Amino acid sequence: MFYFYNTLTREHELFTPGPIIRMYTCGPTVYDHAHIGNFRAYVFEDLLQRHLEAQGNRVERVMNLTDVDDKTIRGARREGISLDKFTARYKEAFFQDSAALRLRPACATPAATDPENITAMIAMIQVLLDQGNAYVAEDHSVYFRIASFPRYGALAQVDRDAQRSTLRMKHDEYSKEEIADFALWKAWDEEDGDVAWQSPWGKGRPGWHIECSAMATRLLGPHIDIHCGGVDNIFPHHEAEIAQCECVSGTQFVSLWMHCAHLMVNGMKMSKSAGNFYTVRDLRQQGWSGREIRYALLSVHYRMPLNFTLEGIASARQALHRIDEWRTRLEEYLANVPSHTSFSLEKCGAVNVRDFFTALDDDLNISAALGVLFEVIRESHRLLDQNALLPTEVRALLDWWYKVDSVLAIASDSLDGDIPEEVQKLVALRQEARFLKNWDESDRLRDTIAGLGWSIKDSKSEQKLVRQA
Ligand code: AMP
Ligand code: ZN
């Protein structure tokens, strides 16, 4: 039984999965390398997805790439190259860093500027206009009329009236009816250079919020089970996503909203603008591995602010070292005894091993889960020292560890590390083809992957790769 904290209700709620868990996670704005604060959000989402899958559920997850906004346009113009060329570099970097942190690829990573997404955004805006939830301003921008959606503010629990009166003081955008109205479509201006799409309201580009609403509903349908992001996304981004989607579909957009707290540096949020950030590349260049960074990011509960320090990663390294040593001891023990069958282990000494997963069921209580892991390590060392473990028990302990690591993904030799990048990319493409029910493309990719020496076994939640003999 899963209990997760729902930002919408501010309560721990029972989460009962259906046959497919539809999950949407807000992705990066690709104007620079993502920093490890951004990756804290992605690592938390990965832990959530892996845990749900390890408990036998099927998860379909979409993550968007925001590849058009003020920052991407400014970056491309500064370098004198096209927006596509500029963002392609950071999309690639994002996928590389994600692989280094062992993030399971989403089923689809739609980019805002993909033609089918722009079409979906324009269609959605048109519905909002037709229904009176939006209006075209003098400059041909389109705004969402928040006065038409009384529930606006429910997620962030902001008082709309109070907000209106304080904001009106600073009102300098006179073309809007109300200052809190947000842009669905931004009319082209000179700063945008050659970045523009035609729409029924004139040329321009989509606003950030409509991007996520259109991509989420186009790929996952009008109702999503879990939507995640960092706490800074709650308002206005997720609030706006709810308003747009629910006005269009007439049904509840998301059942469960989950947000992670910030990664901090000396008491301040890690961010590009504060200049207090590290990228995954910075840290890898300093000699820290992807799994060490991953461990440092996931070992603190996702709703607690995490203060980033180099001592923090150093203790991640120590913790991983203890895990590696323990596992090697179990494997070496087994290498020296005749073959043995496995069974499902319940206890290791005084520790109930199932408690690892029960802890995660409880709003991803990672501290308790890691507590169980280290207790098991301590107990099994003690029992091995006393020669009090049977080979079958050691085998069962190792099998338990493999299942634990399917959630944590921190083992020293995770299979991912051995798979060539080209094959990993093809597997991600095949996952997307299968998600889009493009079976011919999926079969074609399977053949290409086989041509590179890897065969694929499809399971409920993932594609398992096996190197061909
Ligand atoms: P952005 O590229 O700024 O849209 O951010 C991408 C994701 O990273 C969003 O889910 C943000 O909420 C999250 N994020 C940004 N900064 C931090 C931080 N310091 N700690 C945790 N998450 C963050
Ligand atoms: Zn979003």
Side-chain angles (χ1 to χ4, degrees):
M1 289 226 284
F2 301 108
Y3 280 90
F4 295 126
Y5 182 83
N6 190 348
T7 309
L8 186 63
T9 56
R10 306 290 197 271
E11 308 251 6
H12 285 86
E13 285 177 2
L14 178 66
F15 174 72
T16 314
I20 298 176
I21 299 174
R22 295 192 172 80
M23 185 169 165
Y24 186 85
T25 50
C26 285
T29 307
V30 280
Y31 72 103
D32 202 345
H33 296 124
H35 57 69
I36 56 164
N38 304 123
F39 277 103
R40 182 184 194 197
Y42 309 139
V43 167
F44 136 65
E45 291 152 2
D46 187 63
L47 180 71
L48 174 62
Q49 176 175 359
R50 284 173 180 271
H51 177 57
L52 291 168
E53 288 179 348
Q55 299 308 102
N57 297 288
R58 178 162 161 204
V59 178
E60 285 189 354
R61 186 170 68 85
V62 171
M63 175 182 264
N64 69 296
L65 301 170
T66 299
D67 61 351
V68 57
D69 77 330
D70 292 348
K71 287 184 263 188
T72 45
I73 294 175
R74 216 179 300 135
R77 293 199 74 184
R78 199 176 46 232
E79 293 193 19
I81 55 175
S82 70
L83 183 67
D84 281 359
K85 198 164 171 202
F86 177 76
T87 56
R89 185 196 305 158
Y90 297 111
K91 287 178 189 170
E92 180 71 21
F94 174 70
F95 290 125
Q96 284 168 355
D97 291 348
S98 300
L101 297 195
R102 303 178 178 186
L103 301 181
R104 185 165 281 171
C107 295
T109 41
T113 63
D114 293 343
E116 60 274 31
N117 291 329
I118 296 281
T119 306
M121 292 167 209
I122 292 178
M124 218 168 163
I125 297 172
Q126 188 61 59
V127 175
L128 293 170
L129 279 167
D130 293 347
Q131 295 182 165
N133 300 115
Y135 55 93
V136 183
E138 252 167 55
D139 71 342
H140 299 281
S141 290
V142 183
Y143 291 100
F144 185 88
R145 178 180 282 129
I146 61 159
S148 73
F149 187 66
R151 288 199 300 286
Y152 192 81
L155 179 71
Q157 300 193 345
V158 291
D159 179 342
R160 261 190 51 211
D161 293 336
Q163 198 201 15
R164 212 176 295 162
S165 57
T166 49
L167 286 173
R168 191 166 284 145
M169 314 283 287
K170 306 181 234 158
H171 191 164
D172 58 355
E173 292 171 272
Y174 292 106
S175 55
K176 289 201 232 174
E177 289 176 2
E178 248 187 63
I179 186 67
D181 289 352
F182 55 86
L184 297 167
W185 187 261
K186 296 186 176 175
W188 179 86
D189 72 23
E190 268 174 28
E191 304 271 291
D192 293 347
D194 59 0
V195 177
W197 288 265
Q198 284 304 332
S199 80
W201 324 285
K203 74 176 186 176
R205 60 180 162 102
W208 174 37
H209 313 315
I210 198 76
E211 293 179 6
C212 276
S213 284
M215 291 189 269
T217 51
R218 182 174 81 75
L219 289 159
L220 293 170
H223 177 261
I224 289 169
D225 300 293
I226 309 179
H227 193 316
C228 306
V231 283
D232 57 330
N233 283 160
I234 298 174
F235 194 86
H237 185 49
H238 290 163
E239 196 73 61
E241 277 191 47
I242 294 175
Q244 298 163 145
C245 290
E246 297 193 357
C247 284
V248 169
S249 73
T251 57
Q252 188 183 31
F253 174 41
V254 172
S255 304
L256 175 61
W257 285 95
M258 293 177 73
H259 294 98
C260 75
H262 283 142
L263 185 66
M264 315 289 285
V265 182
N266 296 326
M268 266 176 76
K269 175 190 168 192
M270 179 177 287
S271 71
K272 280 275 151 66
S273 51
N276 59 355
F277 63 91
Y278 287 92
T279 62
V280 171
R281 287 134 211 265
D282 294 335
L283 292 173
R284 291 180 77 196
Q285 260 171 16
Q286 290 177 19
W288 303 102
S289 66
R291 75 172 179 134
E292 286 165 346
I293 304 169
R294 178 181 173 91
Y295 187 94
L297 293 177
L298 69 60
S299 55
V300 170
H301 189 264
Y302 75 96
R303 289 197 296 111
M304 302 242 294
L306 161 56
N307 200 33
F308 178 76
T309 57
L310 290 178
E311 293 80 54
I313 308 203
S315 54
R317 176 171 286 178
Q318 274 179 1
L320 290 172
H321 184 65
R322 269 178 70 200
I323 297 170
D324 295 348
E325 261 184 353
W326 165 71
R327 180 189 156 184
T328 307
R329 185 174 186 191
L330 298 187
E331 283 177 347
E332 283 177 355
Y333 172 98
L334 283 185
N336 295 322
V337 293
S339 68
H340 29 72
T341 51
S342 185
F343 72 105
S344 180
L345 186 78
E346 285 197 359
K347 288 200 132 192
C348 176
V351 193
N352 184 341
V353 300
R354 165 79 222 159
D355 284 353
F356 175 88
F357 300 98
T358 346
L360 293 179
D361 288 350
D362 176 18
D363 200 31
L364 296 183
N365 187 346
I366 189 72
S367 324
L370 291 175
V372 174
L373 171 61
F374 286 105
E375 274 292 302
V376 168
I377 292 178
R378 201 169 311 132
E379 282 291 85
S380 40
H381 276 311
R382 185 179 64 79
L383 293 168
L384 281 169
D385 289 345
Q386 295 170 357
N387 229 343
L389 277 182
L390 296 169
T392 46
E393 290 172 321
V394 175
R395 172 77 262 157
L397 265 175
L398 266 177
D399 287 343
W400 173 79
W401 159 248
Y402 297 140
K403 186 160 180 214
V404 164
D405 194 53
S406 73
V407 178
L408 298 178
I410 52 170
S412 56
D413 59 347
S414 145
L415 181 61
D416 296 359
D418 299 339
I419 305 169
E421 210 174 297
E422 188 187 357
V423 175
Q424 287 187 39
K425 270 193 194 152
L426 292 167
V427 171
L429 284 176
R430 184 166 177 271
Q431 177 171 257
E432 178 155 358
R434 290 168 65 75
F435 170 68
L436 298 171
K437 304 201 170 24
N438 189 344
W439 307 120
D440 288 347
E441 177 69 359
S442 160
D443 290 347
R444 196 187 63 73
L445 286 162
R446 173 196 291 269
D447 293 345
T448 314
I449 294 165
L452 294 169
W454 294 81
S455 50
I456 291 189
K457 287 199 175 77
D458 292 311
S459 77
K460 194 162 150 191
S461 59
E462 61 175 325
Q463 311 173 71
K464 284 218 160 52
L465 274 183
V466 184
R467 204 194 292 270
Q468 287 163 359

